[in-house]
Amino acid sequence: MDIVGNRNITSFLEKATENKMLAHSYIFCGPRSIGKKTTAYWLASKLLNIEKERLHLHPDFMEARPGENNIQKEEVDKIISRLSLSAFSGGYKILIINHAELLNTSSANALLKTLEEPSKNTLIMILTSEVGKLLPTIISRSALLQFKLVPKKEVREFLKDKGQDAKECADASCGRPGRAIKMMAQDWKQYQNDSVEEFYNLFCGDISGRLKISSALFKDKENGKRFILEKIESWAEIIRDVFLLKYGLSDEIIHKDSINTLKAISKSKKISQISILLARIIKMRGLLRQNINSQLMLENLII
């Protein structure tokens, strides 16, 4: 099993499987890149008796993924119609819904009907990092499993034979194994340095430079919102590091190689200003879901 941490959840699911007491619907909630999807694939492959690499070839396995902004009702309807059929293998029919916070009102209500009257041997796993955005009725009809950040020691142990940067990646992953694995597959130090430098120029530089960077961030129209959501997550982590520096906790920062730039940000802004910036960035993340002009929002934020 290549699942790191949250052993209490996998043990619970193993026992429920052995005792044939699985619920018809589970909500896997917790931070991104923490192992929710890995756990869902593990359970699906266990129930369908197939390698997880071949899950998508199994006729009784279904997975709903979001488009740029949400999970469309048409996709949910199509999957639900398949769930209503008899299982090809005579066992479970399994549906995984990724980023379930992106269910719109219509698609969420379509899913709710299935949760209210589940067909036999149907297992639905609803994955989300923002459980508060799900319909309360969906939450009430599912078993909630809360995934927690994984201790550094466990992430280090998992990565110890995977490369020379294993310890640094584990420490910089903030308890998220999936992120640590992704970091090891790229030049993550350079990426982090570039991100901090971009943040400094965007929020602390001169106004013409700020607008130039803002314009460059929105060149990719097709994946614009998804890209900006990833940027917002990066900005929030940089602000976290600035707060830690403000309170003399430099050993706990993520972007260790960019400490001089972080100190420059810390020096240029008061704690109250950093707090306001973080609150506005978080608000911007929520508004991005509502088809509001994201470039205009960012320009209003940096001016």
Side-chain angles (χ1 to χ4, degrees):
M1 186 190 305
D2 57 356
I3 301 172
V4 187
N6 290 288
R7 183 59 187 166
N8 59 320
I9 291 178
T10 53
S11 295
F12 167 77
L13 292 172
E14 279 181 327
K15 290 179 181 178
T17 301
E18 291 169 3
N19 297 326
K20 298 182 179 180
M21 295 183 64
L22 283 171
H24 68 275
S25 174
Y26 289 98
I27 295 174
F28 292 1
C29 64
R32 294 174 60 183
S33 302
I34 203 169
K36 301 185 296 293
K37 188 190 293 185
T38 302
T39 302
Y41 283 173
W42 160 76
L43 183 57
S45 64
K46 184 180 180 70
L47 293 173
L48 296 176
N49 193 29
I50 188 174
E51 300 91 345
K52 67 178 183 180
E53 292 79 13
R54 296 173 57 83
L55 271 173
H56 291 89
L57 300 176
H58 199 292
D60 294 327
F61 177 82
M62 289 143 270
E63 186 171 12
R65 304 179 185 219
E68 182 182 349
N69 298 319
N70 54 51
I71 300 174
Q72 298 289 335
K73 181 177 182 294
E74 291 76 15
E75 181 176 5
V76 174
D77 285 341
K78 181 173 65 175
I79 291 173
I80 287 175
S81 67
R82 287 181 59 190
L83 283 178
S84 65
L85 302 174
S86 298
F88 180 84
S89 60
Y92 271 93
K93 293 166 293 180
I94 296 175
L95 166 61
I96 294 175
I97 302 178
N98 284 298
H99 303 290
E101 67 275 5
L102 297 180
L103 287 163
N104 59 33
T105 302
S106 298
S107 56
N109 284 323
L111 173 64
L112 181 59
K113 291 179 181 178
T114 298
L115 295 179
E116 289 173 339
E117 300 177 3
S119 53
K120 185 179 179 182
N121 286 344
T122 294
L123 174 62
I124 299 174
M125 289 179 274
I126 302 168
L127 282 50
T128 182
S129 58
E130 300 177 74
V131 68
K133 291 188 176 180
L134 300 183
L135 288 178
T137 41
I138 287 180
I139 297 174
S140 67
R141 286 166 174 77
S142 306
L144 187 67
L145 298 178
Q146 177 72 54
F147 285 68
K148 297 182 179 180
L149 295 173
V150 180
K152 287 182 182 179
K153 183 178 179 180
E154 291 187 42
V155 182
R156 288 176 187 169
E157 182 66 22
F158 174 69
L159 294 177
K160 68 179 182 180
D161 299 323
K162 299 185 184 299
Q164 60 182 4
D165 289 338
K167 181 180 180 299
E168 291 178 288
C169 287
D171 292 349
S173 69
C174 295
R176 292 181 286 174
R179 175 176 174 168
I181 294 170
K182 191 179 297 183
M183 289 168 67
M184 292 194 70
Q186 63 184 19
D187 187 356
W188 63 275
K189 287 186 179 181
Q190 186 60 51
Y191 173 79
Q192 284 193 333
N193 291 339
D194 292 345
S195 296
V196 174
E197 191 68 26
E198 180 185 76
F199 180 94
Y200 175 81
N201 292 325
L202 185 60
F203 295 104
C204 304
D206 61 80
I207 188 63
S208 61
R210 296 184 189 191
L211 292 174
K212 185 177 180 180
I213 294 172
S214 174
S215 178
L217 289 175
F218 290 89
K219 281 186 177 180
D220 186 353
K221 300 297 183 183
E222 183 178 348
N223 298 307
K225 288 186 179 179
R226 187 174 299 174
F227 175 70
I228 293 300
L229 285 170
E230 291 175 356
K231 284 290 182 182
I232 287 174
E233 183 176 354
S234 173
W235 296 340
E237 290 178 350
I238 292 169
I239 290 175
R240 169 192 177 275
D241 280 357
V242 174
F243 273 125
L244 289 172
L245 282 177
K246 288 279 191 184
Y247 289 102
L249 300 171
S250 57
D251 289 344
E252 298 297 322
I253 67 173
I254 299 170
H255 305 79
K256 295 184 185 297
D257 286 356
S258 300
I259 191 165
N260 290 332
T261 307
L262 290 171
K263 286 180 177 178
I265 298 170
S266 176
K267 185 177 180 180
S268 69
K269 291 188 178 295
K270 300 177 181 178
I271 289 180
S272 59
Q273 292 175 311
I274 292 293
S275 299
I276 291 171
L277 177 59
L278 178 60
R280 289 178 176 174
I281 285 173
I282 292 173
K283 182 178 180 181
M284 179 180 172
R285 180 178 63 186
L287 291 173
L288 276 172
R289 312 289 192 195
Q290 303 175 23
N291 289 323
I292 295 174
N293 188 313
S294 50
Q295 184 170 355
L296 183 59
M297 278 195 291
L298 180 58
E299 289 175 354
N300 287 335
L301 183 62
I302 63 179
I303 293 176

